[in-house]
Amino acid sequence: MDAILLGLNEVATLDVIMAIVIGALIGVTIGSIPGLEPAGVMAILLPITFAMEPLPGVSLLLGVYGGAWYGGAIPAILMNTPGTPVAVLTTYDGYPMAKRGEARRALSIAYTSSFVGGLISVFSLVLLAPTLSQIARKFGSAEFAMLAALGMIFVVLAHRKHVVEAAMMLGLGIFLGTVGLDLSYSTQVYTFGQSWLYSGIPLVPAVIGLFAMSQAFVLLSQRGNDAQKTELSGSGFFSGVIDLLKHKVTVVRSAALGVLMGLLPGVGEFGSQFFSYTLAQKFSKTPEKFGDGNPEGLIASETSNNAVTASVMVPLLAFGIPADALMAMLLAVFMVHNYVPGPTLFVERPEFISGLYISLLLMNVVVFTYLTFATKWIVNLTRVRGRFIGAFILVLGFIGSYSQNYQFSDCLIALGFAIFGYVLRRNQIPAVPIILGLVLGPLFLTRTQQALGVAGGDLTIFLQRPVSLVLFIMILVSIGVFAWSQLRQRKA
């Protein structure tokens, strides 16, 4: 109760409230415009959050993150065009409902499902993060090394159709993470005598280039990128509550899957949506109607999607391990303010943790309320020209890259990553493993060196400690299951 009261005191400030509201509105706007992604906008906002207090800064990014998944349903339902990449399955049943004249009902279902999934995700974070942080207290260097390795393996295996490319990008990220000064031996690593590389490859310009500026290049290269005119049809913006009550089992199952998938690095919204939609169709009394405007399919997609938003923070808060690129950005905010995620954070900053929980809860309330009453105006955002957005993002990307350290070299790094990210997008090669390799690679190498130093160079230390052994077995099992599934597909 003391922690909750402290959290309320942290949130009850103008800075935090404004950060939640502004972040939520930006997120909904981003999700409503086809072609934009929350990762790019979060990357641009990242340098701004460094100048803010920790809780307002994190709340701003989380508002963008959560609001975008809500807003992505609008173009998916009205235009058959996902506003965010994870809204693909929303188009399956949402757009057919809109074509039948039930657009308002479909949007109401999407909003209500996302709201319920978001609340369940926040409660799962409140329950799981402190519990897992107690377990993390018993971790040593060997355990953290294996946990980082497991996270990187999951990230690669999550890209089922591009595993080789993902592994190569992860390796590139790990290599880039080694650039700079090696404090252990006081030597330069791949700096080539360039003083601007002594501190390594900066995370912020890399993220801005890979996610924001590369997307700007994509938008600028498209011709005739005017979105089609959209109209709201039907009635009943509150009918979604009734539909959710009719399919309570689907809601609970999809939310549980979303929470579970959020805990697994690299799986996230895509995996949760796929499994939730598949199971909903399997257990439905009318599976033949899925893909033809079945509210149950829309419920499964949107509930599982938003059930990930808070649970994905559990590995970050409990272990200090980011599950995806968006959490890597949050980790950067934590580290700038000397808030080290992990078990000690719950002891040293309980008011911050409680404030974070309450901020996430308020974010869902703000977004749901805003969408319920403002959708008729928000739909006009789908008509914004893509080239205008691309030029605007490109300018903001350069400003954001320069504003962190006020070094022109950061702008050049961002531009280099932007060009590389554009090539990756054109060839459908995942870019997320690069960022996670850049973050988790140094952590894995440092912890491995520490573990081997304690063991006198004996590699069996990773097998002698029980938790480390379990994590190592999980790595082998994950690789084995993936290899077995690939062999079965080839035989089929």
Side-chain angles (χ1 to χ4, degrees):
M1 185 58 69
D2 290 339
I4 293 174
L5 292 176
L6 287 172
L8 288 171
N9 187 54
E10 288 284 310
V11 174
T13 62
L14 182 61
D15 291 346
V16 177
I17 298 298
M18 290 297 293
I20 294 172
V21 174
I22 293 174
L25 298 185
I26 293 175
V28 170
T29 302
I30 297 308
S32 304
I33 302 176
L36 284 183
E37 297 181 12
V41 178
M42 288 176 65
I44 292 174
L45 292 175
L46 191 58
I48 299 175
T49 61
F50 293 161
M52 303 169 65
E53 290 296 317
L55 187 56
V58 172
S59 299
L60 179 66
L61 295 183
L62 289 177
V64 176
Y65 177 52
W69 301 147
Y70 277 87
I74 296 175
I77 291 172
L78 299 181
M79 301 166 51
N80 200 28
T81 304
T84 54
V86 297
V88 174
L89 290 179
T90 302
T91 63
Y92 287 12
D93 294 284
Y95 185 64
M97 290 182 69
K99 289 178 66 176
R100 292 201 305 257
E102 298 179 314
R104 290 179 184 270
R105 181 191 173 197
L107 287 173
S108 177
I109 293 172
Y111 298 160
T112 310
S113 301
S114 297
F115 181 65
V116 173
L119 292 184
I120 293 175
S121 185
V122 172
F123 293 138
S124 71
L125 174 64
V126 174
L127 293 174
L128 293 175
T131 304
L132 292 178
S133 70
Q134 296 296 324
I135 299 175
R137 288 188 178 188
K138 302 178 181 179
F139 278 27
S141 298
E143 286 79 8
F144 277 112
M146 286 297 100
L147 188 62
L150 181 64
M152 291 188 287
I153 291 295
F154 275 154
V155 168
V156 172
L157 298 184
H159 298 84
R160 299 183 64 86
K161 296 181 180 179
H162 303 281
V163 170
V164 176
E165 294 93 333
M168 292 173 63
M169 294 303 103
L170 177 68
L172 176 62
I174 295 173
F175 165 73
L176 294 176
T178 63
V179 175
L181 295 177
D182 188 345
L183 299 180
S184 302
Y185 301 99
S186 299
T187 57
Q188 298 181 27
V189 182
Y190 299 115
T191 60
F192 303 102
Q194 300 296 317
S195 59
W196 54 277
L197 284 176
Y198 286 172
S199 57
I201 302 295
L203 178 64
V204 174
V207 171
I208 291 176
L210 272 179
F211 295 105
M213 295 172 66
S214 65
Q215 181 63 26
F217 286 151
V218 172
L219 293 173
L220 290 170
S221 65
Q222 292 176 349
R223 296 181 179 180
N225 196 33
D226 284 335
Q228 59 185 329
K229 187 177 180 180
T230 56
E231 294 182 359
L232 281 175
S233 57
S235 59
F237 256 133
F238 297 96
S239 60
V241 179
I242 300 173
D243 285 292
L244 257 69
L245 292 175
K246 291 180 181 177
H247 303 287
K248 295 185 290 293
V249 177
T250 301
V251 172
V252 174
R253 181 177 59 241
S254 301
L257 277 170
V259 170
L260 178 62
M261 295 298 172
L263 300 177
L264 304 177
V267 180
E269 294 86 359
F270 291 101
S272 67
Q273 273 200 331
F274 173 77
F275 285 111
S276 299
Y277 191 88
T278 303
L279 289 177
Q281 185 176 20
K282 182 177 180 180
F283 291 106
S284 175
K285 296 179 181 179
T286 56
E288 69 281 355
K289 293 184 179 180
F290 273 67
D292 194 29
N294 192 333
E296 196 172 357
L298 186 57
I299 290 171
S301 172
E302 287 298 307
T303 303
S304 61
N305 182 12
N306 272 56
V308 175
T309 53
S311 66
V312 75
M313 294 187 65
V314 173
L316 177 63
L317 292 178
F319 302 106
I321 303 293
D324 56 23
L326 303 182
M327 292 302 106
M329 297 184 208
L330 287 184
L331 177 61
V333 179
F334 281 114
M335 300 306 289
V336 163
H337 295 284
N338 200 28
Y339 280 41
V340 182
T344 56
L345 186 63
F346 288 83
V347 177
E348 297 175 356
R349 304 284 183 178
E351 73 287 351
F352 172 77
I353 296 294
S354 297
L356 186 60
Y357 297 156
I358 298 170
S359 295
L360 284 167
L361 189 64
L362 290 178
M363 181 270 292
N364 282 279
V365 174
V366 169
V367 174
F368 180 72
T369 305
Y370 174 62
L371 285 173
T372 301
F373 294 102
T375 297
K376 59 183 178 181
W377 297 292
I378 297 173
V379 294
N380 294 321
L381 294 172
T382 59
R383 306 173 190 176
V384 179
R385 287 181 62 89
R387 288 189 174 185
F388 172 78
I389 299 171
F392 185 62
I393 290 176
L394 203 58
V395 173
L396 290 180
F398 279 117
I399 294 174
S401 300
Y402 181 77
S403 63
Q404 185 192 7
N405 298 315
Y406 300 103
Q407 293 181 355
F408 185 69
S409 59
D410 285 353
C411 295
L412 296 179
I413 291 173
L415 180 61
F417 275 100
I419 296 172
F420 185 58
Y422 175 72
V423 174
L424 295 181
R425 287 177 184 270
R426 298 287 292 183
N427 293 276
Q428 297 183 338
I429 298 174
V432 172
I434 297 177
I435 298 300
L436 290 181
L438 192 61
V439 174
L440 294 180
L443 174 63
F444 171 74
L445 294 174
T446 302
R447 293 293 188 174
T448 301
Q449 287 177 346
Q450 292 174 352
L452 293 177
V454 171
D458 187 3
L459 288 171
T460 59
I461 186 176
F462 298 106
L463 305 179
Q464 294 172 358
R465 299 174 66 90
V467 177
S468 176
L469 177 61
V470 170
L471 293 172
F472 181 71
I473 292 173
M474 289 177 64
I475 292 174
L476 296 180
V477 170
S478 301
I479 297 174
V481 169
F482 174 78
W484 180 68
S485 64
Q486 292 296 305
L487 288 174
R488 285 190 60 187
Q489 289 181 5
R490 290 186 179 181
K491 288 181 180 180

